[in-house]
Amino acid sequence: YLLNKGELPVSFNQIFDEMKLAAELMIKSNSAIKTIGVSGLAFNNSGANAVQELAFVFSTAVEYLEEMLNRGLAIEEVVKRMKFTFGISSFYFMEITKLRAAKILWNQILKLYNVPEESRKIYIHGKTTQYNQTLIDPYVNMLRTTTEAFSAVVGGIDALTTNPFNEVFDIPDNFSRRIAR
């Protein structure tokens, strides 16, 4: 929200306090629901390259970790509640490499926090990018999205969202949503 709007509707402290409450609720109910989301979509859809997206996402993740630790949560419980979202662009091999690098980087970050190896798994959600979608030939968007989705799968994501081919210029209809699925 801050990246897109340039301001927050509430204070950082309130946001982190609410993040802590949501995490505590999931801890108490022993739920696997991810309540702490770290997203690189704003960077990816603004044209950031893979290295920039990884850098911004993991610096944000470390900030979230620090804030939750300062509020008294255990590191292993916080890590279980985190979900990372990366934009997937058309640079096929670079996207595969980015996702694999994300796994390595997150493992190294958590190693510095003394998190046991079995708790260092990263949950990655990928969403195909809007940055390279065209208005001139919307059916090319289907090809781009297909390539992006395939690179995300090869890169080892846990969940994937693909964009309808006409999303950037129209409200997606039944056909475009069906093709995206």
Side-chain angles (χ1 to χ4, degrees):
Y1 190 90
L2 178 60
L3 288 171
N4 292 326
K5 304 288 184 185
E7 62 184 6
L8 291 172
V10 295
S11 71
F12 271 118
N13 280 332
Q14 183 178 345
I15 290 170
F16 288 125
D17 289 343
E18 290 178 14
M19 187 184 291
K20 176 194 175 210
L21 290 173
E24 284 178 329
L25 180 63
M26 294 303 107
I27 292 166
K28 287 177 186 172
S29 65
N30 201 22
S31 174
I33 294 175
K34 311 287 185 196
T35 56
I36 302 171
V38 184
S39 178
L41 291 176
F43 306 112
N44 186 277
N45 285 324
S46 296
N49 65 35
V51 174
Q52 292 166 332
E53 186 178 2
L54 286 170
F56 293 134
V57 163
F58 286 120
S59 65
T60 302
V62 168
E63 181 67 23
Y64 288 3
L65 281 176
E66 288 294 326
E67 289 292 337
M68 294 303 101
L69 292 175
N70 290 340
R71 285 168 171 72
L73 292 178
I75 184 79
E76 289 182 51
E77 291 297 335
V78 175
V79 169
K80 281 190 224 177
R81 307 293 176 255
M82 294 184 82
K83 174 182 98 166
F84 292 82
T85 303
F86 290 98
I88 310 297
S89 72
S90 293
F91 300 111
Y92 182 75
F93 291 109
M94 185 60 74
E95 293 304 317
I96 294 169
T97 304
K98 175 178 76 178
L99 295 170
R100 291 181 179 180
K103 293 176 182 187
I104 293 167
L105 289 169
W106 188 237
N107 185 46
Q108 292 300 313
I109 290 168
L110 294 181
K111 189 186 287 185
L112 294 173
Y113 280 96
N114 296 317
V115 174
E117 190 171 347
E118 63 273 4
S119 299
R120 293 187 207 153
K121 185 179 181 326
I122 185 173
Y123 183 91
I124 300 176
H125 171 241
K127 185 171 187 319
T128 55
T129 190
Q130 292 178 330
Y131 181 72
N132 66 357
Q133 300 291 291
T134 181
L135 302 171
I136 298 168
D137 188 359
Y139 296 106
V140 169
N141 295 341
M142 279 193 257
L143 298 171
R144 289 178 179 161
T145 299
T146 300
T147 302
E148 293 164 358
F150 190 68
S151 65
V153 171
V154 172
I157 61 162
D158 297 295
L160 176 64
T161 303
T162 55
N163 300 334
F165 67 90
N166 59 349
E167 177 180 70
V168 293
F169 60 86
D170 198 4
I171 296 173
D173 57 14
N174 287 336
F175 177 68
S176 64
R177 287 193 306 272
R178 180 173 179 237
I179 295 297
R181 283 192 302 276

